[in-house]
Amino acid sequence: VQLVESGGGSVQAGGSLRLSCEVSGITEGTNCIGWFRQAPGKEREGVAAIMILGATTYYADSVKGRFTISRDNGKNTLYLQMNSLKPEDTARYFCALKTTSSGTWFDARAYNFWGQGTQVTVS
């Protein structure tokens, strides 16, 4: 499985960005795919996730109403639309995939495949 993120960059507060994650080699056992972020000196935190079956979505409280996770199955691509960005959203954003039903959507330890990340800077 390979996950490749793109779409990061620098933006002013209040602006928008859309992150993309191209997924290849996905297996039938995939349970959930999501976005995490990590700022310097902080732990990696779950931002949003989407279940493969049923497409239920989950969001961290800090991004609800501002971020939207979606997927295009035909393109094997996951998206994160980020609006009304704040300086505290500054972090490296990672796409991740887990193939088991164990663990919560926001627990990074439950995910077994990761992309290399893309930097988002909000000033």
Side-chain angles (χ1 to χ4, degrees), residues 4-69:
V4 180
E5 303 95 334
S6 61
S10 297
V11 65
Q12 290 189 335
S16 298
L17 283 173
R18 188 175 81 156
L19 305 183
S20 299
C21 173
E22 187 172 343
V23 183
S24 59
I26 197 166
T27 67
E28 290 185 1
T30 299
N31 172 260
C32 178
I33 188 166
W35 291 97
F36 286 75
R37 66 186 181 187
Q38 188 167 21
K42 294 188 176 181
E43 291 189 359
R44 192 167 295 191
E45 63 171 347
V47 175
I50 186 166
M51 302 300 291
I52 298 302
L53 295 178
T56 301
T57 57
Y58 302 93
Y59 295 93
D61 287 343
S62 59
V63 306
K64 278 181 182 175
R66 300 188 297 123
F67 290 11
T68 303
I69 189 170

Side-chain angles (χ1 to χ4, degrees), residues 9-17 84-91 119-123:
S10 297
V11 65
Q12 290 189 335
S16 298
L17 283 173
S84 302
L85 282 161
K86 304 175 181 180
E88 50 263 44
D89 294 317
T90 295
Q119 180 67 33
V120 171
T121 303
V122 185
S123 59

